[in-house]
């Protein structure tokens, strides 16, 4: 797995993708920090984290995940990968962790913002790390979704589009719940799946263990499904 | 018939062989396909099982979280954590309490109004009501009814006189209503006229605790402000807001016309009356304090230097040994006088607070400012061994303090230099004091009254000024004399966050130039370089 991880990580920096993804995250974060904290004077970084969510899910993560498995399929290097002495789980985890690390590096710029704030006030580091954790967990979940979609196609564009649509559905799920009465099963299920509500807990400064377990279990679920897809390909 | 027999084949045999129906071939059992089928079925079953386990896991975690919520509040002032006082209120709940919020639930579950203070208030309401549900084992439940979406439901709750934004607390036959506006308080900053600076305080926890406690039959403490005697409404409101933010229920009664005072009242408050009380009113006041021998009621008086209230002052002197004189305290030591651009204010002297039973929350080294303070005289130090009355000085002034008559102070041609000052007959000069008068009731229990007298009402001008301990000086005696106990002594929490101040140049260069544009552009250039160098690979 570590070999796959290192290879994947290196590939992000030997191709434009890694730099572009980081540029997008830094640019968006920097803009929101400038707007809310420097121009409006808010000491709280939760506005930056809150506003980053949509852009990261709809724009950055689809680009980050589009080539994870579809590129191997397109270049026919998936055969070598599948026959390598690495378990499918190792392959999937290696690629997932590489993408997650790039994402983590990108959102680490928010910690730099906290350091800038520290020159004027004492930031609440606990709450900032809580926000960071929430964004990382949510990003990990969407990366896992993106990996699954990437494993189903050899077109990077379709993989990116699929991840975009999946992220869009996840973001809009609260709107679906509002169409139904609050007592219906559909609403309960939809509320359960709502990532907005769970993520808002983190940005509000509240960490609930069921939110953490939800995001981790969703990552496990989609990574498992990705392994199943690759396993099916191997046997075919 | 085989075409490959050794004997010569006739043409008829060939025709017959060609036109004959092909023999049915036996279906071959392909071991490879069967294994694939087996593996595929197993893989599908495992996939379904894993998905089911993960879904079930999340369902179980969700149920456990509802029953035993476990969360970490990372906010700096624990904005979403109930205090020990609220826990004490929850422990005393033994009957079902229903809290009905007449608004859409999503506003509170996932607030996004665009205003951080409002979002925090709504979120606090949601979290705290959930916590009460957990702490009380489900006895306290909260329901959300959107009257805008369901206007017909308003008639169902007509007896409670609720509208959109109301909050109804019910427990059996007991009920109370408040509104969303009661969940916060707004204070104007000292320089509001120039800066429009305000501070928002959350009263969510306090209101929930007070009202749950009240409908469950618990003790609440009301402070009744007496009006009808030309009180300065600005100062009355200032003091009411301060007490309300600190857990008290505030009521107002026109004592000139009212015949009854709320039974929950623990103390009466008189703030800067400009008209005297009548003898009949004094009689009623005395009777209320005596409470048929049960006492346990208090009186707080903030004197108005510009008013003559002989009946009220006589009552304070005769019944409680505190004499309100006609002299203002005038400080001559520059170290005890606040200075400003406009000059010095010897009639707003600075001093410290004495350590007494009612001022335990005030640090005796902290400075308080006492503008326009009438001199008080007390029976403190006299022989009271036969009496159940004790007097205590709270704020005093040293020998550098002199006295000026109120007439001289209010004279049109009065100046700081020309005004006549005299020495006091005894020192230290008292500006604030209290009396404790007690007796033994039928059960031989000691019951008493605290009567607290401030020679100045203008101390309320400085309760939000951080450099003076005026707020503590005002709050501490009330909290000590008229205790809320463990139940609802919950202070309001400020929601107004600190602000940053970056000058435009720094913001534009650092925020926009470097963070938003500069660093991303460098990364894009790196991406281009990598692309150009590796495009041929």
């Amino acid at each position: 797995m570590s070999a796959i991880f290192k290879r994947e990580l290196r590939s992000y920096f030997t191709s434009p993708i890694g730099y572009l993804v980081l540029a997008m995250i830094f640019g968006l974060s920097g803009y929101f920090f400038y707007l809310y904290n420097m121009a409006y004077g808010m000491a709280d970084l939760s506005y930056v984290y809150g506003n980053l969510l949509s852009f990261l899910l709809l724009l950055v993560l689809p680009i980050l995940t589009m080539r994870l498995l579809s590129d191997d399929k397109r270049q026919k290097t998936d055969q070598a990968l599948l026959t390598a002495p690495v378990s499918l789980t190792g392959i999937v985890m290696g690629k997932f962790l590489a993408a997650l690390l790039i994402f983590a590096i990108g959102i680490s710029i928010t910690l730099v913002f906290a350091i800038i704030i520290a020159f004027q006030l004492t930031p609440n580091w606990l709450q900032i790390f809580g926000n960071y954790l929430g964004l990382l967990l949510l990003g990990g979940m969407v990366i896992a979704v993106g990996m699954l979609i990437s494993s189903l196609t050899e077109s990077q564009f379709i993989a990116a589009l699929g991840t975009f649509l999946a992220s869009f559905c996840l973001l809009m799920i609260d709107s679906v719940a509002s169409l139904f009465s609050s007592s219906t099963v559909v609403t309960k299920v939809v509320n359960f799946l709502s990532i907005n509500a769970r993520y808002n807990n983190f940005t509000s400064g509240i960490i609930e263990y069921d939110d953490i377990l939800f995001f981790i279990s969703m990552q496990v679920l989609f990574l498992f499904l990705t392994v199943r897809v690759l396993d099916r390909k191997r046997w075919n | 018939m085989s075409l490959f027999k050794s004997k010569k084949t006739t043409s008829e045999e060939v025709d017959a062989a060609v036109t004959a129906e092909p023999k049915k071939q036996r279906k071959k059992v392909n071991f490879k396909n069967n294994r694939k089928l087996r593996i595929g079925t197993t893989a599908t079953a495992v996939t379904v099982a894993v998905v089911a386990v993960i879904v079930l896991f999340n369902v179980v975690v969700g149920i456990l979280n509802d029953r035993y919520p476990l969360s970490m509040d990372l906010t700096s002032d624990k904005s979403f954590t109930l205090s020990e006082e609220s826990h004490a209120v929850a422990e005393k709940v033994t009957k079902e309490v229903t809290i009905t919020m007449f608004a859409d639930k999503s506003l509170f579950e996932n607030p996004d109004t665009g205003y951080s203070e409002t979002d925090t208030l709504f979120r606090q309401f949601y979290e705290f009501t959930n916590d009460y549900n957990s702490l009380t084992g489900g006895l306290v439940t909260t329901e959300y009814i959107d009257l805008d979406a369901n206007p017909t439901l308003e008639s169902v709750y007509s007896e409670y006189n609720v509208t959109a934004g109301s909050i109804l607390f019910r427990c059996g036959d007991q009920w109370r209503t408040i509104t969303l506006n009661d969940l916060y308080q707004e204070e104007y900053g000292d320089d509001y006229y120039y800066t429009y600076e305000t501070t928002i305080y959350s009263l969510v926890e306090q209101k929930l605790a007070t009202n749950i406690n009240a409908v469950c039959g618990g003790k609440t403490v009301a402070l009744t402000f007496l009006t009808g005697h030309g009180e300065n409404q600005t100062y009355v409101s200032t003091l009411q807001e301060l007490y309300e933010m600190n857990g008290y229920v505030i009521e107002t009664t026109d004592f000139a016309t009212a015949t009854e005072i709320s039974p929950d009242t623990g103390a009466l408050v008189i703030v800067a009356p400009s008209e005297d009380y009548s003898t009949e009113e004094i009689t009623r006041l005395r009777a209320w304090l005596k409470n048929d021998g049960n006492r346990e009621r208090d009186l707080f008086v903030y004197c108005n230097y510009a008013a003559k209230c002989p009946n009220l002052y006589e009552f304070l002197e005769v019944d409680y040994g505190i004499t309100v004189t006609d002299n203002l305290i005038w400080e001559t030591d520059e170290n005890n006088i606040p200075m400003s651009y406009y000059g010095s204010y010897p009639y707003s002297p600075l001093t410290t607070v004495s350590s007494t039973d009612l001022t335990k929350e005030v640090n005796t080294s902290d400075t308080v400012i006492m503008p326009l303070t009438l001199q008080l005289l007390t029976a403190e130090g006299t022989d009271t061994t036969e009496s159940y009355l004790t007097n205590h000085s709270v704020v005093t002034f040293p020998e550098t303090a002199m006295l000026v008559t109120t007439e001289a102070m209010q004279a049109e041609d009065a100046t700081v230099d020309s005004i006549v000052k005299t020495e006091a007959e005894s020192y230290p000069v008292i500006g604030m004091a209290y009396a404790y008068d007690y007796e033994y009731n039928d059960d031989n229990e000691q019951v008493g009254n605290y009567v607290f007298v401030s020679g100045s009402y203008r101390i309320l001008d400085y309760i939000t000024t951080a450099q003076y301990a005026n707020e503590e000086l005002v709050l501490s005696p009330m909290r000590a004399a008229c205790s809320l106990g463990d139940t609802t002594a919950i202070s309001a929490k400020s929601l107004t966050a600190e602000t940053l101040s970056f000058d435009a140049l720094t913001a534009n260069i650092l925020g926009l130039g470097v963070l938003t544009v500069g660093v991303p552009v460098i990364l894009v250039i790196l991406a281009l370089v990598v692309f150009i160098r590796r495009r041929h690979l």
Side-chain angles (χ1 to χ4, degrees):
Chain A
M1 184 181 89
S2 62
I4 302 289
F5 170 75
K6 287 176 192 170
R7 172 185 167 264
E8 203 63 34
L9 194 64
R10 197 165 42 242
S11 75
Y12 276 117
F13 292 106
T14 53
S15 73
I17 290 282
Y19 298 101
L20 287 175
V21 164
L22 288 176
M24 279 194 287
I25 297 176
F26 288 171
L28 286 167
S29 312
Y31 175 70
F32 290 127
F33 177 68
Y34 160 75
L35 184 65
Y36 290 107
N37 299 97
M38 301 190 96
Y40 289 166
M42 294 178 183
D44 192 1
L45 276 176
S46 61
Y47 284 94
V48 174
Y49 285 102
N51 283 280
L52 266 180
L53 179 68
S54 309
F55 290 95
L56 289 177
L57 262 54
L58 295 176
L59 189 62
V60 174
L61 291 178
I63 294 173
L64 182 66
T65 58
M66 67 182 182
R67 59 180 291 280
L68 275 174
L69 286 165
S70 59
D71 195 46
D72 286 323
K73 202 171 174 185
R74 184 177 63 83
Q75 294 186 10
K76 308 295 181 198
T77 53
D78 57 334
Q79 298 299 324
L81 200 59
L82 292 174
T83 53
V86 184
S87 67
L88 291 177
T89 306
I91 294 170
V92 169
M93 285 305 298
K95 287 176 176 283
F96 169 74
L97 290 173
L100 189 64
L101 181 61
I102 296 295
F103 182 68
I105 292 170
I107 61 174
S108 297
I109 191 71
T110 54
L111 302 178
V112 174
F113 300 157
I115 294 171
I116 295 173
I117 290 173
F119 281 96
Q120 291 197 13
L121 306 166
T122 307
N124 183 359
W125 286 104
L126 269 181
Q127 190 168 350
I128 291 168
F129 282 124
N131 284 347
Y132 182 88
L133 176 67
L135 193 54
L136 193 64
L137 287 171
L138 179 53
M141 175 182 148
V142 176
I143 289 171
V145 170
M147 272 201 77
L148 174 63
I149 294 171
S150 177
S151 70
L152 296 172
T153 175
E154 63 179 57
S155 164
Q156 292 187 32
F157 173 74
I158 293 176
L161 184 64
T163 308
F164 168 84
L165 288 172
S167 299
F168 184 79
C169 291
L170 286 171
L171 286 171
M172 292 295 117
I173 211 162
D174 291 323
S175 306
V176 173
S178 66
L179 298 174
F180 298 90
S181 161
S182 61
S183 58
T184 61
V185 173
V186 172
T187 308
K188 286 186 179 8
V189 169
V190 166
N191 282 335
F192 177 78
L193 294 173
S194 169
I195 61 168
N196 273 324
R198 294 181 187 277
Y199 183 64
N200 278 347
N201 286 340
F202 287 97
T203 57
S204 300
I206 304 170
I207 292 189
E208 296 196 7
Y209 71 90
D210 70 323
D211 293 335
I212 296 176
L213 291 175
F214 173 81
F215 286 128
I216 292 175
S217 66
M218 287 298 111
Q219 289 172 24
V220 167
L221 174 65
F222 288 107
L223 290 174
F224 171 78
L225 291 174
T226 307
V227 170
R228 301 301 336 145
V229 168
L230 292 182
D231 193 38
R232 189 167 66 88
K233 279 184 198 169
R234 187 161 63 178
W235 287 104
N236 283 340
Chain B
M1 181 163 66
S2 171
L3 293 174
F4 300 101
K5 281 190 174 175
S6 57
K7 70 172 188 179
K8 195 172 179 185
T9 308
T10 64
S11 63
E12 290 82 11
E13 286 171 344
V14 169
D15 288 339
V18 168
T19 56
E21 286 182 6
K23 291 179 187 173
K24 281 188 182 172
Q25 294 196 352
R26 279 178 66 187
K27 195 172 182 181
K28 284 186 181 176
V29 175
N30 192 330
F31 176 76
K32 185 183 171 187
N33 283 341
N34 201 13
R35 182 162 172 260
K36 252 182 138 179
L37 186 65
R38 206 170 52 240
I39 291 169
T41 308
T42 308
T44 305
V46 167
T47 303
V48 170
V50 169
V51 172
V53 162
I54 289 175
V55 170
L56 195 63
F57 172 75
N58 278 286
V59 168
V60 168
V61 166
I63 292 169
L64 283 174
N65 187 51
D66 287 340
R67 280 279 182 95
Y68 311 104
L70 186 65
S71 60
M72 272 195 290
D73 183 353
L74 301 180
T75 54
S76 53
D77 57 355
K78 303 298 175 199
S79 301
F80 303 108
T81 304
L82 284 177
S83 61
E84 290 304 316
E85 289 86 356
S86 292
H87 280 254
V89 169
E91 277 172 23
K92 294 179 184 180
V93 173
T94 54
K95 295 176 275 191
E96 286 186 2
V97 176
T98 304
I99 303 171
T100 307
M101 165 62 85
F102 291 93
D104 184 17
K105 184 178 181 180
S106 62
L107 272 179
F108 300 85
E109 192 173 22
N110 200 12
D112 188 19
T113 62
Y115 297 97
S116 66
E117 291 98 342
T118 311
D119 288 347
T120 304
L121 281 173
F122 287 172
R123 191 60 194 267
Q124 280 181 329
F125 181 86
Y126 181 77
E127 293 293 328
F128 290 159
T129 49
N130 283 350
D131 288 346
Y132 268 108
N133 182 263
S134 304
L135 290 171
T136 58
L139 285 175
V140 176
T141 55
T142 307
E143 56 182 7
Y144 296 83
I145 295 175
D146 187 354
L147 289 180
D148 289 335
N150 303 289
T152 54
L153 287 176
E154 198 167 340
S155 59
V156 175
Y157 296 90
S158 59
E159 67 175 289
Y160 305 111
N161 201 26
V162 295
T163 57
S166 295
I167 308 167
L168 172 65
F169 296 81
R170 284 177 292 166
C171 179
D173 295 332
Q174 300 293 319
W175 60 273
R176 280 193 170 206
T177 59
I178 59 175
T179 68
L180 280 173
N181 288 333
D182 293 323
L183 297 182
Y184 72 97
Q185 198 154 73
E186 194 171 0
E187 259 192 18
Y188 298 109
D190 290 339
D191 294 323
Y192 175 76
Y193 184 77
Y194 301 103
T195 63
Y196 301 107
E197 183 188 315
T198 60
T199 304
I200 309 287
Y201 290 91
S202 168
L203 301 177
V204 175
E205 187 183 358
Q206 190 192 90
K207 292 296 181 184
L208 284 174
T210 305
N211 286 284
I212 289 172
N213 196 46
V215 296
C216 287
K219 179 190 175 211
T220 57
V221 178
L223 303 178
T224 297
F225 282 69
L226 299 183
T227 60
H229 297 84
E231 290 81 6
N232 188 313
Q233 197 52 46
T234 303
Y235 291 90
V236 170
S237 300
T238 299
L239 198 52
Q240 285 179 331
E241 283 171 11
L242 178 66
Y243 287 141
E244 190 173 29
M245 272 172 45
N246 285 275
Y248 292 97
V249 175
I250 302 300
E251 305 209 11
T252 307
T253 298
D254 184 340
F255 206 54
T257 57
T259 54
E260 286 196 13
I261 291 175
S262 166
D264 290 337
T265 298
L268 295 176
V269 185
I270 298 173
V271 181
S274 56
E275 297 161 15
D276 197 13
Y277 282 64
S278 67
T279 51
E280 183 267 337
E281 287 167 340
I282 296 297
T283 304
R284 283 196 282 132
L285 191 57
R286 183 180 286 117
W288 184 84
L289 284 167
K290 293 285 190 226
N291 193 18
D292 294 328
N294 293 316
R295 304 228 185 184
E296 296 304 297
R297 290 172 171 177
D298 308 307
L299 174 66
F300 285 72
V301 180
Y302 290 84
C303 298
N304 180 0
Y305 75 97
K308 306 289 184 193
C309 300
N311 289 338
L312 178 63
Y313 295 162
E314 185 187 356
F315 161 69
L316 293 173
E317 181 180 354
V318 171
D319 287 46
Y320 297 101
I322 298 177
T323 305
V324 181
T325 70
D326 205 32
N327 300 316
L328 280 168
I329 298 170
W330 187 281
E331 181 59 68
T332 58
D333 183 352
E334 284 183 358
N335 293 321
N336 297 334
I337 298 172
M339 302 292 289
S340 78
Y341 174 79
Y342 301 102
S344 64
Y345 299 90
Y347 48 85
S348 298
L350 307 175
T351 187
T352 55
V353 178
S354 307
S355 175
T356 68
D357 287 342
L358 293 195
T359 52
K360 287 183 178 167
E361 291 181 27
V362 189
N363 195 324
T364 53
S365 61
D366 287 344
T367 303
V368 294
I369 181 169
M370 302 282 295
L372 298 165
T373 304
L374 291 171
Q375 179 199 19
L376 304 179
L377 300 172
T378 68
E380 189 176 16
T382 59
D383 183 7
T384 56
T385 51
E386 298 297 323
S387 167
Y388 291 148
L389 171 69
T390 56
N391 287 151
H392 305 268
S393 306
V394 173
V395 170
T396 59
F397 299 87
E399 291 179 3
T400 52
M402 303 189 80
L403 302 175
V404 168
T405 63
T406 54
E407 284 81 12
M409 187 68 191
Q410 293 175 83
E412 283 185 11
D413 56 350
T415 65
V416 169
D417 296 321
S418 68
I419 204 163
V420 176
K421 307 137 191 125
T422 57
E423 284 190 2
E425 286 187 6
S426 63
Y427 285 93
V429 176
I430 302 169
M432 186 182 281
Y434 72 89
Y436 181 63
D437 186 30
Y438 65 94
E439 64 178 286
Y440 291 91
N441 63 10
D442 294 337
D443 297 324
N444 207 31
E445 293 168 338
Q446 181 177 315
V447 291
N449 304 112
Y450 282 103
V451 173
F452 178 92
V453 181
S454 171
S456 166
Y457 72 95
R458 295 292 295 270
I459 63 171
L460 300 176
D461 283 331
Y462 295 92
I463 56 174
T464 58
T465 306
Q467 70 188 101
Y468 302 126
N470 282 40
E471 182 182 296
E472 291 85 345
L473 178 61
V474 170
L475 274 176
S476 179
M478 182 61 77
R479 283 184 177 154
C482 206
S483 173
L484 290 161
D486 321 312
T487 55
T488 51
I490 299 165
S491 297
K493 286 182 185 167
S494 171
L495 295 179
T496 302
E498 293 176 289
T499 53
L500 300 169
S501 63
F502 288 95
D503 58 271
L505 187 64
T506 307
N508 288 335
I509 292 175
L510 180 59
L512 211 51
V514 174
L515 296 174
T516 306
V517 175
V519 171
V521 162
I522 292 170
L523 287 168
V524 167
I525 291 170
L526 280 172
L528 275 172
V529 167
V530 167
F531 173 72
I532 290 166
R533 288 179 71 174
R534 295 184 70 84
R535 64 183 171 166
H536 295 304
L537 293 176

